[in-house]
Amino acid sequence: MHLEICCYNFVSVRIAHQQAVDAIELCSNPAEGGCTPSLALIEKTVEHTKIPLGVMVRPRGGNFVYDANDKVIMLRDIEHIKKTGARFIVAGALTHENEIDIEFTKRLVETSYPLMFRFHRAIDVVPNYLRSMSMLIESGVTSVLTSGGEQNAILGLTNLKEAKHYFGHSMQLVVAGGVRSNNALTFLQAGMHYLHSGAGTVSLSDSSKLRFNSMVSENSNQYTLCDGEEIRAIKDLLIQ
């Protein structure tokens, strides 16, 4: 049983380290679902912990359809990340029809080598989930972060179990999307052995009366921290 925690800042990395999680995925920009973090944050994380580190490579929020410039940025980011001591890359790309961008996915896999490559939740917006899973395997992908093609992993549990049945021998399914201590046992009982959680709680800075982003209705100075107690609660379920 493995528990991976998504961290958006170094404070969260320290919390995940204290809880001795099995892996950390490092991102930035939680409001947009995660983007590429800074090299300095990656390097600091590698210095601080020996826990296997994955790094999100996503140049912007929004959809997963990337133009030529986006793709150049992603490939260059991967080359830089490979020098930091990180252990795996998390990325993905789709076509305008929301199908897997096969050719670019192959380039992502090749560029990531010798690091492991994981396709992220772009898989959850494709029109044919199981067929797309097969396409990923044909592209050389051996790990996928997924909620089963639904908004969260509880809703996608049927698809997750099907994917596990058909592809579990050649694809590592990392269950993500609302994984918490109040439902982790459900995934374990369904045969899902690798869980990914944000285990997040919102914190406010001292200047919480200010708003730095007029595009959002909430305080723009909120930031997401991992909840150590929530991580511990999930871990307790894993070792039962």
Side-chain angles (χ1 to χ4, degrees), residues 104-178:
F104 187 56
T105 297
K106 289 179 179 178
R107 288 196 67 189
L108 290 170
V109 173
E110 292 167 358
T111 304
S112 297
Y113 183 82
L115 275 60
M116 186 192 78
F117 175 82
R118 176 183 296 161
F119 199 92
H120 59 39
R121 289 192 61 197
I123 185 70
D124 292 322
V125 299
V126 299
N128 190 316
Y129 180 73
L130 293 179
R131 181 172 65 86
S132 295
M133 192 73 70
S134 180
M135 292 168 67
L136 288 181
I137 293 172
E138 293 173 3
S139 301
V141 177
T142 58
S143 180
V144 62
L145 184 74
T146 176
S147 62
E150 299 290 348
Q151 183 66 36
N152 61 62
I154 286 293
L155 294 176
L157 186 56
T158 297
N159 285 339
L160 287 169
K161 289 192 288 188
E162 278 197 275
K164 177 79 171 180
H165 173 74
Y166 289 111
F167 308 113
H169 60 286
S170 54
M171 178 72 80
Q172 177 194 66
L173 295 177
V174 182
V175 178

Side-chain angles (χ1 to χ4, degrees), residues 11-205:
V11 178
S12 293
V13 168
R14 292 178 60 191
I15 294 169
H17 172 78
Q18 290 167 356
Q19 296 302 323
V21 300
D22 298 297
I24 291 171
E25 182 193 87
L26 202 59
C27 308
S28 67
N29 202 355
E32 293 188 328
C35 294
T36 310
S38 73
L39 279 173
L41 177 57
I42 300 168
E43 291 168 347
K44 181 66 174 175
T45 299
V46 171
E47 292 171 6
H48 180 75
T49 181
K50 299 301 183 184
I51 293 172
L53 176 66
V55 179
M56 172 73 76
V57 174
R58 186 178 176 216
R60 54 165 174 75
N63 63 29
F64 303 105
V65 181
Y66 300 118
D67 63 20
N69 292 316
D70 289 329
K71 292 178 178 180
V72 168
I73 291 169
M74 293 172 72
L75 295 174
R76 288 184 183 178
D77 274 334
I78 290 173
E79 293 289 3
H80 290 307
I81 292 166
K82 285 165 61 174
K83 301 174 185 177
T84 65
R87 298 277 286 276
F88 60 97
I89 300 294
V90 184
L94 303 178
T95 67
H96 287 284
E97 294 75 32
N98 275 345
E99 300 282 2
I100 304 296
D101 187 335
I102 295 294
E103 293 307 313
F104 187 56
T105 297
K106 289 179 179 178
R107 288 196 67 189
L108 290 170
V109 173
E110 292 167 358
T111 304
S112 297
Y113 183 82
L115 275 60
M116 186 192 78
F117 175 82
R118 176 183 296 161
F119 199 92
H120 59 39
R121 289 192 61 197
I123 185 70
D124 292 322
V125 299
V126 299
N128 190 316
Y129 180 73
L130 293 179
R131 181 172 65 86
S132 295
M133 192 73 70
S134 180
M135 292 168 67
L136 288 181
I137 293 172
E138 293 173 3
S139 301
V141 177
T142 58
S143 180
V144 62
L145 184 74
T146 176
S147 62
E150 299 290 348
Q151 183 66 36
N152 61 62
I154 286 293
L155 294 176
L157 186 56
T158 297
N159 285 339
L160 287 169
K161 289 192 288 188
E162 278 197 275
K164 177 79 171 180
H165 173 74
Y166 289 111
F167 308 113
H169 60 286
S170 54
M171 178 72 80
Q172 177 194 66
L173 295 177
V174 182
V175 178
V179 175
R180 295 292 186 271
S181 58
N182 62 2
N183 58 27
L185 192 58
T186 300
F187 302 115
L188 297 178
Q189 291 172 339
M192 306 297 158
H193 298 146
Y194 205 126
L195 304 184
H196 171 105
S197 177
T201 183
V202 173
S203 181
L204 292 174
S205 72

Side-chain angles (χ1 to χ4, degrees), residues 4 92 141 221 239:
E4 176 178 293
V141 177
N221 57 339
I239 61 177

Side-chain angles (χ1 to χ4, degrees), residues 205 207-216 218-221:
S205 72
S207 56
S208 58
K209 292 181 181 180
L210 298 178
R211 288 179 58 195
F212 298 102
N213 186 348
S214 61
M215 296 176 65
V216 296
E218 302 295 332
N219 289 328
S220 57
N221 57 339

